[in-house]
PDB file of all heavy atoms in Angstrom:
ATOM      1  N   ILE S  17     137.792 106.609  80.297  1.00 98.00           N
ATOM      2  CA  ILE S  17     137.999 108.017  79.928  1.00 98.00           C
ATOM      3  C   ILE S  17     136.714 108.639  79.363  1.00 98.00           C
ATOM      4  O   ILE S  17     136.330 109.753  79.719  1.00 98.00           O
ATOM      5  CB  ILE S  17     139.150 108.115  78.892  1.00 98.00           C
ATOM      6  CG1 ILE S  17     140.489 107.766  79.557  1.00 98.00           C
ATOM      7  CG2 ILE S  17     139.194 109.488  78.244  1.00 98.00           C
ATOM      8  CD1 ILE S  17     141.663 107.634  78.574  1.00 98.00           C
ATOM      9  N   ASN S  86     135.976 108.479  71.017  1.00 98.00           N
ATOM     10  CA  ASN S  86     136.840 107.968  72.101  1.00 98.00           C
ATOM     11  C   ASN S  86     136.906 106.445  72.166  1.00 98.00           C
ATOM     12  O   ASN S  86     137.842 105.896  72.727  1.00 98.00           O
ATOM     13  CB  ASN S  86     136.292 108.543  73.422  1.00 98.00           C
ATOM     14  CG  ASN S  86     136.829 107.819  74.638  1.00 98.00           C
ATOM     15  OD1 ASN S  86     137.942 108.078  75.087  1.00 98.00           O
ATOM     16  ND2 ASN S  86     136.038 106.891  75.182  1.00 98.00           N
ATOM     17  N   TYR S 136     139.210 113.884  68.954  1.00 99.00           N
ATOM     18  CA  TYR S 136     139.618 112.490  68.807  1.00 99.00           C
ATOM     19  C   TYR S 136     140.471 112.080  69.997  1.00 99.00           C
ATOM     20  O   TYR S 136     141.340 112.861  70.424  1.00 99.00           O
ATOM     21  CB  TYR S 136     140.432 112.308  67.513  1.00 99.00           C
ATOM     22  CG  TYR S 136     139.621 112.636  66.278  1.00 99.00           C
ATOM     23  CD1 TYR S 136     139.873 113.793  65.543  1.00 99.00           C
ATOM     24  CD2 TYR S 136     138.580 111.812  65.871  1.00 99.00           C
ATOM     25  CE1 TYR S 136     139.118 114.113  64.427  1.00 99.00           C
ATOM     26  CE2 TYR S 136     137.817 112.117  64.752  1.00 99.00           C
ATOM     27  CZ  TYR S 136     138.088 113.270  64.041  1.00 99.00           C
ATOM     28  OH  TYR S 136     137.327 113.584  62.941  1.00 99.00           O
ATOM     29  N   MET S 137     140.230 110.865  70.505  1.00 98.00           N
ATOM     30  CA  MET S 137     141.068 110.372  71.581  1.00 98.00           C
ATOM     31  C   MET S 137     142.286 109.689  70.978  1.00 98.00           C
ATOM     32  O   MET S 137     142.229 108.548  70.542  1.00 98.00           O
ATOM     33  CB  MET S 137     140.287 109.415  72.490  1.00 98.00           C
ATOM     34  CG  MET S 137     140.956 109.200  73.834  1.00 98.00           C
ATOM     35  SD  MET S 137     141.388 110.756  74.684  1.00 98.00           S
ATOM     36  CE  MET S 137     139.748 111.468  74.908  1.00 98.00           C
ATOM     37  N   GLY S 138     143.367 110.466  70.917  1.00 98.00           N
ATOM     38  CA  GLY S 138     144.635 109.905  70.476  1.00 98.00           C
ATOM     39  C   GLY S 138     145.336 109.288  71.667  1.00 98.00           C
ATOM     40  O   GLY S 138     144.696 108.699  72.552  1.00 98.00           O
ATOM     41  N   SER S 139     146.626 109.473  71.728  1.00 98.00           N
ATOM     42  CA  SER S 139     147.433 108.858  72.790  1.00 98.00           C
ATOM     43  C   SER S 139     148.839 109.414  72.647  1.00 98.00           C
ATOM     44  O   SER S 139     149.187 109.965  71.580  1.00 98.00           O
ATOM     45  CB  SER S 139     147.443 107.342  72.576  1.00 98.00           C
ATOM     46  OG  SER S 139     148.478 106.734  73.312  1.00 98.00           O
ATOM     47  N   VAL S 140     149.655 109.240  73.671  1.00 98.00           N
ATOM     48  CA  VAL S 140     151.091 109.486  73.457  1.00 98.00           C
ATOM     49  C   VAL S 140     151.546 108.640  72.272  1.00 98.00           C
ATOM     50  O   VAL S 140     152.452 109.023  71.530  1.00 98.00           O
ATOM     51  CB  VAL S 140     151.905 109.179  74.743  1.00 98.00           C
ATOM     52  CG1 VAL S 140     153.389 109.056  74.424  1.00 98.00           C
ATOM     53  CG2 VAL S 140     151.690 110.268  75.774  1.00 98.00           C
ATOM     54  N   HIS S 141     150.833 107.538  72.040  1.00 98.00           N
ATOM     55  CA  HIS S 141     151.144 106.700  70.882  1.00 98.00           C
ATOM     56  C   HIS S 141     150.694 107.312  69.552  1.00 98.00           C
ATOM     57  O   HIS S 141     150.848 106.696  68.504  1.00 98.00           O
ATOM     58  CB  HIS S 141     150.596 105.281  71.085  1.00 98.00           C
ATOM     59  CG  HIS S 141     151.409 104.513  72.086  1.00 98.00           C
ATOM     60  ND1 HIS S 141     150.922 104.148  73.312  1.00 98.00           N
ATOM     61  CD2 HIS S 141     152.697 104.085  72.040  1.00 98.00           C
ATOM     62  CE1 HIS S 141     151.884 103.517  73.980  1.00 98.00           C
ATOM     63  NE2 HIS S 141     152.960 103.468  73.231  1.00 98.00           N
ATOM     64  N   SER S 142     150.142 108.544  69.580  1.00 98.00           N
ATOM     65  CA  SER S 142     149.993 109.326  68.341  1.00 98.00           C
ATOM     66  C   SER S 142     151.324 109.989  67.985  1.00 98.00           C
ATOM     67  O   SER S 142     151.468 110.563  66.897  1.00 98.00           O
ATOM     68  CB  SER S 142     148.948 110.436  68.528  1.00 98.00           C
ATOM     69  OG  SER S 142     147.690 109.917  68.890  1.00 98.00           O
ATOM     70  N   TYR S 152     147.981  99.725  67.232  1.00 98.00           N
ATOM     71  CA  TYR S 152     147.535 100.864  68.049  1.00 98.00           C
ATOM     72  C   TYR S 152     148.295 102.135  67.657  1.00 98.00           C
ATOM     73  O   TYR S 152     147.691 103.197  67.466  1.00 98.00           O
ATOM     74  CB  TYR S 152     147.778 100.521  69.524  1.00 98.00           C
ATOM     75  CG  TYR S 152     147.174 101.477  70.520  1.00 98.00           C
ATOM     76  CD1 TYR S 152     145.817 101.435  70.832  1.00 98.00           C
ATOM     77  CD2 TYR S 152     147.960 102.418  71.186  1.00 98.00           C
ATOM     78  CE1 TYR S 152     145.259 102.295  71.770  1.00 98.00           C
ATOM     79  CE2 TYR S 152     147.413 103.277  72.124  1.00 98.00           C
ATOM     80  CZ  TYR S 152     146.072 103.214  72.418  1.00 98.00           C
ATOM     81  OH  TYR S 152     145.530 104.066  73.352  1.00 98.00           O
ATOM     82  N   LYS S 156     146.613 105.412  66.105  1.00 98.00           N
ATOM     83  CA  LYS S 156     146.646 106.676  66.862  1.00 98.00           C
ATOM     84  C   LYS S 156     147.394 107.769  66.096  1.00 98.00           C
ATOM     85  O   LYS S 156     147.040 108.944  66.184  1.00 98.00           O
ATOM     86  CB  LYS S 156     147.255 106.462  68.254  1.00 98.00           C
ATOM     87  CG  LYS S 156     146.383 105.611  69.199  1.00 98.00           C
ATOM     88  CD  LYS S 156     145.000 106.224  69.420  1.00 98.00           C
ATOM     89  CE  LYS S 156     144.226 105.556  70.547  1.00 98.00           C
ATOM     90  NZ  LYS S 156     142.808 105.946  70.584  1.00 98.00           N
ATOM     91  N   VAL S 179     142.979 116.700  68.797  1.00 99.00           N
ATOM     92  CA  VAL S 179     143.297 115.369  69.331  1.00 99.00           C
ATOM     93  C   VAL S 179     143.833 115.517  70.756  1.00 99.00           C
ATOM     94  O   VAL S 179     144.671 116.382  71.012  1.00 99.00           O
ATOM     95  CB  VAL S 179     144.378 114.679  68.468  1.00 99.00           C
ATOM     96  CG1 VAL S 179     144.620 113.245  68.931  1.00 99.00           C
ATOM     97  CG2 VAL S 179     144.001 114.702  66.990  1.00 99.00           C
ATOM     98  N   ILE S 180     143.342 114.678  71.639  1.00 99.00           N
ATOM     99  CA  ILE S 180     143.914 114.610  72.991  1.00 99.00           C
ATOM    100  C   ILE S 180     144.806 113.370  73.049  1.00 99.00           C
ATOM    101  O   ILE S 180     144.404 112.289  72.609  1.00 99.00           O
ATOM    102  CB  ILE S 180     142.817 114.493  74.069  1.00 99.00           C
ATOM    103  CG1 ILE S 180     141.859 115.676  73.978  1.00 99.00           C
ATOM    104  CG2 ILE S 180     143.444 114.418  75.465  1.00 99.00           C
ATOM    105  CD1 ILE S 180     140.665 115.565  74.928  1.00 99.00           C
ATOM    106  N   CYS S 181     145.994 113.543  73.595  1.00 98.00           N
ATOM    107  CA  CYS S 181     146.972 112.447  73.620  1.00 98.00           C
ATOM    108  C   CYS S 181     147.365 112.123  75.063  1.00 98.00           C
ATOM    109  O   CYS S 181     148.373 112.627  75.571  1.00 98.00           O
ATOM    110  CB  CYS S 181     148.216 112.856  72.831  1.00 98.00           C
ATOM    111  SG  CYS S 181     147.879 113.238  71.102  1.00 98.00           S
ATOM    112  N   PRO S 182     146.583 111.254  75.717  1.00 98.00           N
ATOM    113  CA  PRO S 182     146.920 110.939  77.109  1.00 98.00           C
ATOM    114  C   PRO S 182     148.073 109.946  77.215  1.00 98.00           C
ATOM    115  O   PRO S 182     148.284 109.120  76.319  1.00 98.00           O
ATOM    116  CB  PRO S 182     145.639 110.276  77.649  1.00 98.00           C
ATOM    117  CG  PRO S 182     144.582 110.450  76.609  1.00 98.00           C
ATOM    118  CD  PRO S 182     145.310 110.641  75.304  1.00 98.00           C
ATOM    119  N   GLY S 183     148.785 110.050  78.337  1.00 98.00           N
ATOM    120  CA  GLY S 183     149.702 108.981  78.739  1.00 98.00           C
ATOM    121  C   GLY S 183     148.880 107.850  79.330  1.00 98.00           C
ATOM    122  O   GLY S 183     147.661 107.789  79.128  1.00 98.00           O
ATOM    123  N   PHE S 184     149.530 106.937  80.046  1.00 96.00           N
ATOM    124  CA  PHE S 184     148.783 105.804  80.603  1.00 96.00           C
ATOM    125  C   PHE S 184     147.804 106.267  81.679  1.00 96.00           C
ATOM    126  O   PHE S 184     148.162 107.016  82.576  1.00 96.00           O
ATOM    127  CB  PHE S 184     149.746 104.767  81.196  1.00 96.00           C
ATOM    128  CG  PHE S 184     150.339 103.890  80.142  1.00 96.00           C
ATOM    129  CD1 PHE S 184     151.647 104.085  79.715  1.00 96.00           C
ATOM    130  CD2 PHE S 184     149.595 102.869  79.559  1.00 96.00           C
ATOM    131  CE1 PHE S 184     152.203 103.276  78.727  1.00 96.00           C
ATOM    132  CE2 PHE S 184     150.139 102.051  78.566  1.00 96.00           C
ATOM    133  CZ  PHE S 184     151.444 102.262  78.152  1.00 96.00           C
ATOM    134  N   VAL S 185     146.567 105.807  81.526  1.00 97.00           N
ATOM    135  CA  VAL S 185     145.484 106.118  82.467  1.00 97.00           C
ATOM    136  C   VAL S 185     144.987 104.784  82.994  1.00 97.00           C
ATOM    137  O   VAL S 185     144.744 103.852  82.208  1.00 97.00           O
ATOM    138  CB  VAL S 185     144.324 106.854  81.755  1.00 97.00           C
ATOM    139  CG1 VAL S 185     143.233 107.225  82.739  1.00 97.00           C
ATOM    140  CG2 VAL S 185     144.836 108.086  81.007  1.00 97.00           C
ATOM    141  N   THR S 223     148.430 109.295  84.429  1.00 98.00           N
ATOM    142  CA  THR S 223     147.471 110.345  84.091  1.00 98.00           C
ATOM    143  C   THR S 223     146.107 109.833  84.571  1.00 98.00           C
ATOM    144  O   THR S 223     145.901 108.621  84.633  1.00 98.00           O
ATOM    145  CB  THR S 223     147.504 110.573  82.565  1.00 98.00           C
ATOM    146  OG1 THR S 223     148.839 110.956  82.201  1.00 98.00           O
ATOM    147  CG2 THR S 223     146.541 111.648  82.118  1.00 98.00           C
ATOM    148  N   THR S 224     145.202 110.737  84.933  1.00 98.00           N
ATOM    149  CA  THR S 224     143.890 110.291  85.431  1.00 98.00           C
ATOM    150  C   THR S 224     142.785 110.596  84.414  1.00 98.00           C
ATOM    151  O   THR S 224     142.966 111.431  83.523  1.00 98.00           O
ATOM    152  CB  THR S 224     143.521 111.006  86.756  1.00 98.00           C
ATOM    153  OG1 THR S 224     143.340 112.404  86.466  1.00 98.00           O
ATOM    154  CG2 THR S 224     144.618 110.833  87.802  1.00 98.00           C
ATOM    155  N   ASP S 227     142.089 114.231  84.455  1.00 98.00           N
ATOM    156  CA  ASP S 227     143.030 115.067  83.678  1.00 98.00           C
ATOM    157  C   ASP S 227     142.577 115.129  82.215  1.00 98.00           C
ATOM    158  O   ASP S 227     142.605 116.187  81.579  1.00 98.00           O
ATOM    159  CB  ASP S 227     144.447 114.454  83.686  1.00 98.00           C
ATOM    160  CG  ASP S 227     145.075 114.397  85.072  1.00 98.00           C
ATOM    161  OD1 ASP S 227     144.848 115.307  85.867  1.00 98.00           O
ATOM    162  OD2 ASP S 227     145.831 113.414  85.324  1.00 98.00           O
ATOM    163  N   VAL S 228     142.171 113.974  81.685  1.00 98.00           N
ATOM    164  CA  VAL S 228     141.781 113.914  80.265  1.00 98.00           C
ATOM    165  C   VAL S 228     140.438 114.627  80.065  1.00 98.00           C
ATOM    166  O   VAL S 228     140.240 115.363  79.088  1.00 98.00           O
ATOM    167  CB  VAL S 228     141.719 112.453  79.766  1.00 98.00           C
ATOM    168  CG1 VAL S 228     141.384 112.408  78.283  1.00 98.00           C
ATOM    169  CG2 VAL S 228     143.032 111.731  80.032  1.00 98.00           C
ATOM    170  N   LEU S 248     147.074 117.716  71.850  1.00 98.00           N
ATOM    171  CA  LEU S 248     147.578 118.131  73.155  1.00 98.00           C
ATOM    172  C   LEU S 248     147.903 116.885  73.974  1.00 98.00           C
ATOM    173  O   LEU S 248     147.056 116.013  74.167  1.00 98.00           O
ATOM    174  CB  LEU S 248     146.505 118.985  73.854  1.00 98.00           C
ATOM    175  CG  LEU S 248     146.906 119.682  75.134  1.00 98.00           C
ATOM    176  CD1 LEU S 248     148.157 120.527  74.950  1.00 98.00           C
ATOM    177  CD2 LEU S 248     145.764 120.585  75.603  1.00 98.00           C
ATOM    178  N   VAL S 249     149.152 116.827  74.425  1.00 98.00           N
ATOM    179  CA  VAL S 249     149.618 115.657  75.159  1.00 98.00           C
ATOM    180  C   VAL S 249     149.440 115.891  76.661  1.00 98.00           C
ATOM    181  O   VAL S 249     149.869 116.913  77.189  1.00 98.00           O
ATOM    182  CB  VAL S 249     151.099 115.372  74.851  1.00 98.00           C
ATOM    183  CG1 VAL S 249     151.569 114.128  75.576  1.00 98.00           C
ATOM    184  CG2 VAL S 249     151.314 115.222  73.345  1.00 98.00           C
ATOM    185  N   VAL S 250     148.773 114.940  77.307  1.00 98.00           N
ATOM    186  CA  VAL S 250     148.498 115.028  78.752  1.00 98.00           C
ATOM    187  C   VAL S 250     149.070 113.752  79.356  1.00 98.00           C
ATOM    188  O   VAL S 250     148.413 112.715  79.392  1.00 98.00           O
ATOM    189  CB  VAL S 250     146.973 115.076  79.004  1.00 98.00           C
ATOM    190  CG1 VAL S 250     146.670 115.377  80.460  1.00 98.00           C
ATOM    191  CG2 VAL S 250     146.298 116.083  78.091  1.00 98.00           C
ATOM    192  N   SER S 251     150.337 113.792  79.780  1.00 98.00           N
ATOM    193  CA  SER S 251     151.019 112.513  80.025  1.00 98.00           C
ATOM    194  C   SER S 251     152.062 112.547  81.143  1.00 98.00           C
ATOM    195  O   SER S 251     152.930 111.688  81.183  1.00 98.00           O
ATOM    196  CB  SER S 251     151.711 112.061  78.740  1.00 98.00           C
ATOM    197  OG  SER S 251     152.842 112.885  78.461  1.00 98.00           O
ATOM    198  N   HIS S 252     152.004 113.550  82.030  1.00 98.00           N
ATOM    199  CA  HIS S 252     153.061 113.684  83.049  1.00 98.00           C
ATOM    200  C   HIS S 252     154.436 113.756  82.402  1.00 98.00           C
ATOM    201  O   HIS S 252     155.402 113.192  82.916  1.00 98.00           O
ATOM    202  CB  HIS S 252     153.000 112.533  84.070  1.00 98.00           C
ATOM    203  CG  HIS S 252     151.884 112.701  85.063  1.00 98.00           C
ATOM    204  ND1 HIS S 252     152.079 113.187  86.340  1.00 98.00           N
ATOM    205  CD2 HIS S 252     150.563 112.479  84.944  1.00 98.00           C
ATOM    206  CE1 HIS S 252     150.920 113.244  86.975  1.00 98.00           C
ATOM    207  NE2 HIS S 252     149.979 112.822  86.145  1.00 98.00           N
ATOM    208  N   TRP S 254     155.643 112.401  79.808  1.00 97.00           N
ATOM    209  CA  TRP S 254     156.196 111.223  79.097  1.00 97.00           C
ATOM    210  C   TRP S 254     156.683 111.671  77.716  1.00 97.00           C
ATOM    211  O   TRP S 254     157.792 111.377  77.298  1.00 97.00           O
ATOM    212  CB  TRP S 254     155.112 110.145  79.001  1.00 97.00           C
ATOM    213  CG  TRP S 254     155.405 109.012  78.060  1.00 97.00           C
ATOM    214  CD1 TRP S 254     156.585 108.706  77.438  1.00 97.00           C
ATOM    215  CD2 TRP S 254     154.481 107.998  77.650  1.00 97.00           C
ATOM    216  NE1 TRP S 254     156.439 107.564  76.666  1.00 97.00           N
ATOM    217  CE2 TRP S 254     155.168 107.118  76.776  1.00 97.00           C
ATOM    218  CE3 TRP S 254     153.134 107.750  77.943  1.00 97.00           C
ATOM    219  CZ2 TRP S 254     154.547 106.017  76.184  1.00 97.00           C
ATOM    220  CZ3 TRP S 254     152.523 106.659  77.365  1.00 97.00           C
ATOM    221  CH2 TRP S 254     153.227 105.794  76.490  1.00 97.00           C
TER     222      TRP S 254
END
Side-chain angles (χ1 to χ4, degrees):
I17 291 172
N86 164 81
Y136 298 108
M137 197 51 62
S139 164
V140 164
H141 286 112
S142 301
Y152 190 78
K156 292 301 191 192
V179 185
I180 302 175
C181 300
F184 280 104
V185 182
T223 301
T224 66
D227 296 324
V228 183
L248 189 54
V249 182
V250 189
S251 71
H252 284 260
W254 167 11

